[in-house]
Amino acid sequence: MARIFCIANQKGGVGKTTTTVNLAAGLAKVGQRVLMVDLDPQGNATMGSGVDKRQLKASIYDVLLESSSIAEARVTSDKLVAAGCSYDVLGANRELAGAEVELVDVERRERRLKSALAEVADDYDFILIDCPPSLSMLTLNGLCSAHGVLVPMQCEYFALEGLTDLINTIKQVRANMNKDLAVIGLLRVMFDPRITLQQQVSDQLKEHFTDKVFDTVIPRNVRLAEAPSYGVPGVVFDPASKGAQAYVAFAREMVARIAAL
Ligand code: ADP
Ligand code: MG
């Protein structure tokens, strides 16, 4: 049965999507069966996985509105198959922005994704959900479905402030909707050790959150930023780059952590 993780942080531009697609590719590379779910109407994780969001026959939108199953809507990019690190994609596009409103009046609206994922959970070892930068009904669907949350964060001054809000939200979801939900870990991303402030924030994180901070650190690396324009994760685009290697190391760390749970 798949372990299901949300990649969440209500701030935009902190590396959620980059982490989702590269962790998916890294896990695939080390032999795990992975489904990547794009819960952001921007569809960046879809495009960054080699799937054209404008050409989707069915998307996460259809799944949330129960007009399609995940088995019907999931796709795999040929580019990733050719590279030997392929994972399935449940894609998103702008249509998803409308789901928020359309779900207002339906039953079990925050549990739609959970029910749909239950049908395919046996097909995968990991299901990764790329969340939008907000606490919307979409993110709530993600948090209700998941066993845990991965929080990518930049080691900057305000990062700690945002973290408190996110952790409070997760506590509320755990109390009211999903008792299994836990913060699996904080992932330091876009890290530049030459910047003293980043080193200081990193040290503070480890002091406060101890073993909740992943050992792997993702460096700032231009190859990771270039990869989306080629429609592949950095792990596929330039496997030898420091960024790609860090994400594969992170995938191994995740596999080890899950085995130890
Ligand atoms: P989010 O999904 O949280 O909005 P993204 O993953 O889209 O964030 O990342 C925001 C920007 O930062 C993107 O342009 C992305 O390519 C870039 N980026 C993310 N991680 C790295 C990294 N480790 N090194 C360099 N650029 C990165
Ligand atoms: Mg994103």
Side-chain angles (χ1 to χ4, degrees), residues 143-163:
L143 294 176
C144 281
S145 311
H147 299 114
V149 185
L150 307 183
V151 186
M153 53 188 305
Q154 285 173 265
C155 291
E156 285 171 353
Y157 181 68
F158 289 114
L160 292 171
E161 225 167 72
L163 198 56

Side-chain angles (χ1 to χ4, degrees), residues 20-21 24-25 34-39 43-53 56-60 63 69-78 80 85-92 124 127-128 130 231 233:
T20 308
V21 301
V34 183
L35 171 68
M36 193 288 292
V37 177
D38 192 350
L39 253 190
N44 291 344
T46 303
M47 298 294 279
S49 300
V51 174
D52 190 341
K53 63 183 177 184
L56 294 170
K57 291 206 180 71
S59 70
I60 175 86
V63 169
S69 66
I70 294 179
E72 289 161 343
R74 64 188 165 192
V75 289
T76 312
S77 153
D78 297 338
L80 299 192
C85 358
S86 77
Y87 54 88
D88 287 353
V89 174
L90 176 56
Y124 302 102
I127 298 177
L128 304 179
D130 186 31

Side-chain angles (χ1 to χ4, degrees), residues 229-248:
S229 61
Y230 296 86
V232 287
V235 164
V236 171
F237 176 58
D238 185 355
S241 65
K242 288 240 155 53
Q245 289 182 345
Y247 272 113
V248 174

Side-chain angles (χ1 to χ4, degrees), residues 130-141:
D130 186 31
C131 289
S134 62
L135 184 72
S136 57
M137 183 55 62
L138 295 173
T139 302
L140 211 50
N141 260 277

Side-chain angles (χ1 to χ4, degrees), residues 16-17 40 42 44 130-131:
K16 290 182 291 298
T17 299
D40 189 335
Q42 291 184 74
N44 291 344
D130 186 31
C131 289

Side-chain angles (χ1 to χ4, degrees), residues 202-213:
S202 173
D203 292 344
Q204 280 178 11
L205 275 179
K206 278 200 287 196
E207 217 170 275
H208 282 91
F209 297 98
T210 56
D211 59 347
K212 289 276 186 212
V213 182

